């Protein structure tokens, strides 16, 4: 099947390679000449402009976008005059589902089908496949099935889950038509909210292990209730514990696999500065939770923790220290 891929970053470039490896005809475009050249060297047909990409595609066309959410509107504005009836435009990025519903309606007026696909799998998707959460009308989604089957892990993959009683449908293969336009991005938003919370939980648990040795704290910082500081004095090998938990533990997961690999290479995590970015979907999920009156305190805490990792809380922490010193004499002067 022929497809045009716009956006050849860490996700889009690897997805194009996976499609080519399965025999699909892939025409690619990216503003980065180096990225474009890299895919061309691997067998993709390069297009220097979106216009050229559209011209190289047979009618009816399929164009898949893997660009940042902030860029989607501009790319659609560029492409929509070039596309025609029965062409399909796919947004595989992390767009807001409200924007997706609006775009689908607007493009439908021109006879262009719009399909949203939430993609999960990161840089490992090239080899292991991608989990695809799909929204859109039935006909264009069905037409894209060969692409979905190629990109998804497939049945019997290395990451295949334990089989449940209901094994019908495509979910077991790693892709699912979730509903109308916007539903794929909505499901991806919820997916990323869960991801935020799981990552925060692992981080807290391993920090608890790391801080088990009381020698990591000065005597002045030990809680007054700690009668026997020696009772918490362990020197754990975190990489080994991560490896242990990967073997049959109820908290084993791919995120734990990545944790174990990172600790094995760099136990002190010295190569990481502790600043954690967010793609925006955690914010959208929390806003949606408020709008739908869905209690999501864990998501809120995980998101706010990412904010504090960016040094934005330092002033607030200093103010807390000043207040505590003011009413209780707990500041530096109390140790003189």
């Amino acid at each position: 099947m022929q497809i045009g891929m716009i956006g050849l970053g860490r996700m889009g470039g690897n997805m194009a390679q996976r499609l080519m490896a399965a025999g699909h005809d892939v025409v690619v475009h990216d503003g980065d000449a180096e990225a474009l050249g890299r895919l061309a060297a691997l067998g993709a047909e390069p297009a220097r402009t979106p216009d050229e990409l559209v011209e190289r595609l047979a009618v009816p066309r399929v164009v898949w976008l893997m660009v940042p959410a902030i860029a989607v509107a501009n790319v659609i504005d560029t492409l929509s005059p070039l596309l025609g009836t029965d062409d399909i435009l796919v947004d595989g990025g992390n767009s807001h589902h409200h924007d997706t519903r609006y775009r689908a309606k607007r493009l439908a007026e021109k006879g262009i089908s719009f399909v949203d696909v939430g993609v999960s799998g990161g840089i490992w998707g090239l080899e292991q496949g991608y989990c695809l959460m799909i929204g859109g009308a039935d006909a264009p989604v069905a037409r894209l099935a060969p692409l979905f089957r190629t990109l998804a892990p497939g049945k019997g993959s290395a990451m295949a889950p334990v089989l449940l009683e209901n094994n019908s449908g495509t979910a077991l293969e790693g892709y699912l038509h979730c509903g109308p336009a916007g539903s794929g991005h909505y499901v991806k938003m919820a997916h990323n909210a869960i991801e935020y919370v799981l990552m925060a939980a692992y981080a807290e648990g391993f920090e608890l292990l790391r801080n088990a040795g009381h020698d990591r704290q000065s005597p002045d910082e030990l809680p007054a209730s700690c009668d026997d500081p020696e009772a918490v004095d362990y020197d754990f090998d975190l990489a080994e514990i991560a490896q242990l938990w990967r073997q049959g533990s109820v908290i084993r997961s791919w995120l734990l696999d990545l944790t174990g690999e990172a600790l094995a290479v760099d136990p002190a995590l010295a190569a990481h500065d502790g600043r954690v970015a967010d793609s925006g979907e955690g914010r959208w999920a929390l806003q949606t939770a408020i709008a739908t009156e869905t209690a999501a305190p864990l998501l809120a805490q995980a998101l706010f923790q990412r904010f504090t990792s960016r040094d934005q809380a330092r002033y607030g922490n200093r103010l807390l220290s000043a207040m505590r010193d003011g009413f209780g004499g707990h500041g530096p002067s109390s140790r003189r």
Side-chain angles (χ1 to χ4, degrees), residues 50-99:
D51 303 56
E52 185 178 329
L53 179 137
V54 172
E55 290 174 0
R56 291 173 180 266
L57 295 175
V59 178
R61 309 172 185 89
V62 175
V63 181
W64 191 307
L65 309 183
M66 288 301 295
V67 300
I70 194 172
V72 172
N74 287 337
V75 177
I76 291 177
D77 287 343
T78 299
L79 289 173
S80 57
L82 308 174
L83 299 176
T85 302
D86 295 331
D87 287 347
I88 301 176
L89 188 57
V90 181
D91 180 6
N94 291 332
S95 295
H96 197 294
H97 66 99
H98 283 160
D99 295 335

Side-chain angles (χ1 to χ4, degrees), residues 15 30 33 58 76 90 102 109 125 138 142-143 156 160-161 171 218 233-234 236 250 256 258 261 270 280-281 303 312:
M15 291 168 68
D30 193 287
I76 291 177
V90 181
Y102 166 76
E109 295 170 354
D138 291 345
R143 191 173 128 206
S218 68
D233 188 12
Y234 306 107
F236 292 122
V250 297
L256 183 58
L258 298 176
E261 292 167 8
E281 290 205 274
L303 177 61
Q312 295 177 7

